[in-house]
Amino acid sequence: MVKSVILAAGKGTRMKSETPKVLHEIYSKTLLGYVIDAVNDTGLADENYVIVGHQAERVEEFVKENYNNAKTVLQSPQLGTGHAVSMVCPYLENFDGEVIILCGDTPLITSDTLKTFIEAHREMKSDITVMSAVFDNPTNYGRIIRNSDGSLNSIVEEKDATQEQKAVKEINAGIYCLNWQKIKNAFSQLKTNNAQGEYYLTDIIEWGNKNGLSVNAHILERNEEIYGINSKLNLAEATKMLTKRTLDKFMTDGITIIDPDSTWIDPQTEIGKDTIIYPSTYIEGVNKIGANCKIGPFAHLRGGVTLEDDVKIGNYVEVKKAHIKSHTNACHLTYIGDSEIGSNVNIGAGTITANYDPLSKVKSKTIIEDNAKIGSNSVLVAPVTIEEGANVGALSVITKNISKWSLAITRAPLKIFEGWVSKKLGK
Ligand code: UD1
Ligand code: MG
């Protein structure tokens, strides 16, 4: 089995935020969450070590709450990437397998790429494999320096590079695969004689060469996968890239997205064939949307939503934590939260499920059974059940359960004062 080490101790100054960098989110998942999930999804790794430092407690809490196969290891002070990885040495003294090293701020890395990378490492019978990439603008990355026969010589950081080295376009992506027992002794031998006075992880390349290890680079296919987040600008850019990736996959799988430029869908959402997503729709979190649904324009799904087949969620409809069965429509201006809705239900324009009591802070459930019809501008005050086939008249406030096939209405009676206006105007 493989173990991963995820570097997440850095400060993230350019985020200008009270939140630790790796806990920033894209849709509803943290940057660190994307990286740990990518490692776990390879199916090759059984344990993850997250190196924490800056705002360690918050990152520790996140890891503990969300991942039972991840541990945090404190690095304090932070003396460089080599120093960061050395923090796991006491834990892996006798571990006889591969360690992959990644950064906690590269959320676009995929499990497929990591799998290919580990497989390449094994096929090459490599002891140290570094992931490299070819960038038109390699500024700020460590450069991959190769010998004349193409073999890997070293990695040189931008700040330590000569003009000639700076011209190299093959860069260090910051992901490594190491045969741990062969490399573990390197960490006590790293030096800080470089421009930044840090212990560079990249120095293990030269160490490996000196110690007769097999040292190789594996070139990354899609450069966007190592896009690192350093600022809110990067965060927005990564969200765009992830969204494009997600929408491209949906369209390939038979889902119609009318305007990918104004559509935002969390990759954790599943969508069935022939569903149409209309422009300006925002779908966040884990949702399951069936086949042949119509969503939007201007719809907002907030997570925990299951829509069965042939459901219509129209403009200005917000849905959160709800199960809606087939052939049900909520076409306009509605909020549905904490609800279970049957099939063939019609939810009129302006319907609100009032699920939250701000005094007790309790959220309650609304149940609407098959074939029920909810008139426009109604408020269903949860907990409440509208039984099968019942009708709710427009503008009603429903505070009690409505039994099967009944009509419920709370509207004040209509009064008509004939000629009232003309009398006022003296006509
Ligand atoms: C590093 C690589 C560089 C590579 C680039 C890819 C080194 C010396 N350089 O440079 O070759 O092209 O990544 O993005 O490794 N961190 C810690 N503890 C520390 C220092 C850093 O946990 O003491 C973490 C940071 O939070 C970050 C990661 O390690 O997640 C990388 O550190 P960073 O300072 O960004 O390294 P770069 O200068 O970008
Ligand atoms: Mg960096």
Side-chain angles (χ1 to χ4, degrees):
M1 271 304 199
V2 178
K3 309 231 181 262
S4 87
V5 176
I6 299 169
L7 307 185
K11 207 161 177 192
T13 315
R14 282 173 286 165
M15 294 305 280
K16 306 220 169 121
S17 171
E18 296 297 315
T19 302
K21 175 159 92 172
V22 293
L23 296 191
H24 279 76
E25 294 183 349
I26 294 182
Y27 292 107
S28 48
K29 202 198 272 193
T30 63
L31 303 183
L32 181 57
Y34 281 98
V35 178
I36 302 179
D37 286 349
V39 174
N40 284 340
D41 290 347
T42 62
L44 298 171
D46 64 347
E47 205 177 14
N48 304 290
Y49 291 88
V50 180
I51 310 299
V52 297
H54 184 68
Q55 293 204 53
E57 309 75 39
R58 286 185 60 187
V59 185
E60 278 163 8
E61 195 183 303
F62 165 79
V63 170
K64 211 167 162 188
E65 271 176 21
N66 293 282
Y67 293 96
N68 52 23
N69 74 343
K71 276 195 183 66
T72 51
V73 181
L74 185 67
Q75 183 203 16
S76 176
Q78 290 105 45
L79 304 177
T81 48
H83 178 249
V85 176
S86 75
M87 298 294 114
V88 300
C89 287
Y91 299 90
L92 298 178
E93 186 53 38
N94 300 312
F95 170 63
D96 192 11
E98 294 124 338
V99 170
I100 56 167
I101 299 168
L102 310 95
C103 291
D105 60 0
T106 53
L108 300 181
I109 190 74
T110 65
S111 58
D112 282 352
T113 291
L114 291 177
K115 236 164 123 172
T116 310
F117 178 60
I118 295 166
E119 280 159 9
H121 170 86
R122 289 176 180 172
E123 258 167 44
M124 293 187 283
K125 299 208 180 337
S126 182
D127 296 315
I128 301 176
T129 308
V130 54
M131 193 184 284
S132 71
V134 179
F135 278 12
D136 285 341
N137 177 8
T139 313
N140 288 331
Y141 284 96
R143 306 299 204 281
I144 301 283
I145 308 301
R146 291 181 182 266
N147 300 312
S148 49
D149 64 354
S151 61
L152 201 56
N153 175 287
S154 55
I155 296 174
V156 177
E157 293 305 296
E158 171 95 19
K159 288 185 180 140
D160 301 292
T162 61
Q163 275 319 104
E164 194 189 342
Q165 288 168 332
K166 279 186 187 160
V168 172
K169 293 193 166 172
E170 186 179 8
I171 59 96
N172 168 22
I175 298 178
Y176 313 77
C177 187
L178 314 175
N179 286 358
W180 187 251
Q181 284 304 316
K182 290 203 175 160
I183 185 76
K184 66 174 189 188
N185 293 326
F187 294 100
S188 55
Q189 294 170 35
L190 295 177
K191 304 214 164 52
T192 56
N193 53 347
N194 52 56
Q196 301 184 78
E198 289 181 359
Y199 295 99
Y200 285 173
L201 176 57
T202 44
D203 286 350
I204 61 173
I205 306 297
E206 275 183 285
W207 186 91
N209 279 328
K210 272 192 201 129
N211 287 272
L213 303 186
S214 167
V215 181
N216 299 282
H218 173 82
I219 300 181
L220 173 72
E221 266 175 41
R222 292 177 296 266
N223 288 348
E224 71 162 44
E225 291 199 29
I226 56 148
Y227 188 78
I229 309 297
N230 292 308
S231 68
K232 299 278 166 73
L233 265 81
N234 296 153
L235 195 63
E237 198 56 40
T239 307
K240 239 185 221 166
M241 290 193 257
L242 184 65
T243 304
K244 179 170 179 355
R245 190 192 285 176
T246 307
L247 299 185
D248 285 357
K249 183 172 182 309
F250 281 138
M251 290 186 279
T252 309
D253 290 348
I255 291 114
T256 302
I257 314 261
I258 307 265
D259 177 26
D261 288 340
S262 70
T263 303
W264 301 84
I265 306 180
D266 192 316
Q268 299 175 97
T269 288
E270 286 170 41
I271 308 181
K273 262 211 289 215
D274 285 325
T275 282
I276 304 176
I277 310 286
Y278 290 89
S280 296
T281 291
Y282 189 81
I283 299 179
E284 186 172 40
V286 181
N287 305 285
K288 206 164 182 272
I289 300 172
N292 277 314
C293 293
K294 289 188 163 65
I295 314 287
F298 300 99
H300 184 191
L301 270 55
R302 288 173 44 208
V305 174
T306 300
L307 306 181
E308 295 189 0
D309 298 345
D310 300 287
V311 168
K312 235 168 122 179
I313 299 294
N315 37 199
Y316 305 106
V317 174
E318 173 183 346
V319 190
K320 184 214 80 174
K321 254 183 152 179
H323 187 126
I324 302 181
K325 291 193 175 161
S326 61
H327 297 280
T328 284
N329 298 334
C331 292
H332 338 263
L333 304 152
T334 284
Y335 171 64
I336 299 171
D338 300 293
S339 299
E340 268 174 44
I341 301 180
S343 53
N344 283 311
V345 169
N346 191 64
I347 311 262
T351 299
I352 305 291
T353 58
N355 60 332
Y356 181 60
D357 177 351
L359 295 183
S360 65
K361 296 195 165 55
V362 170
K363 283 182 183 154
S364 305
K365 213 164 185 182
T366 299
I367 299 173
I368 304 175
E369 295 182 356
D370 296 349
N371 299 307
K373 311 291 173 214
I374 312 298
S376 297
N377 262 351
S378 296
V379 180
L380 310 178
V381 182
V384 70
T385 299
I386 314 296
E387 289 186 5
E388 188 186 347
N391 278 22
V392 169
L395 206 62
S396 296
V397 179
I398 304 297
T399 51
K400 286 185 200 152
N401 295 348
I402 311 299
S403 52
K404 279 183 190 184
W405 305 106
S406 310
L407 169 69
I409 190 158
T410 64
R411 191 191 311 153
L414 173 68
K415 290 178 190 160
I416 299 176
F417 301 93
E418 296 290 345
W420 188 88
V421 179
S422 43
K423 234 181 266 163
K424 276 269 168 197
L425 297 175
K427 284 188 180 166

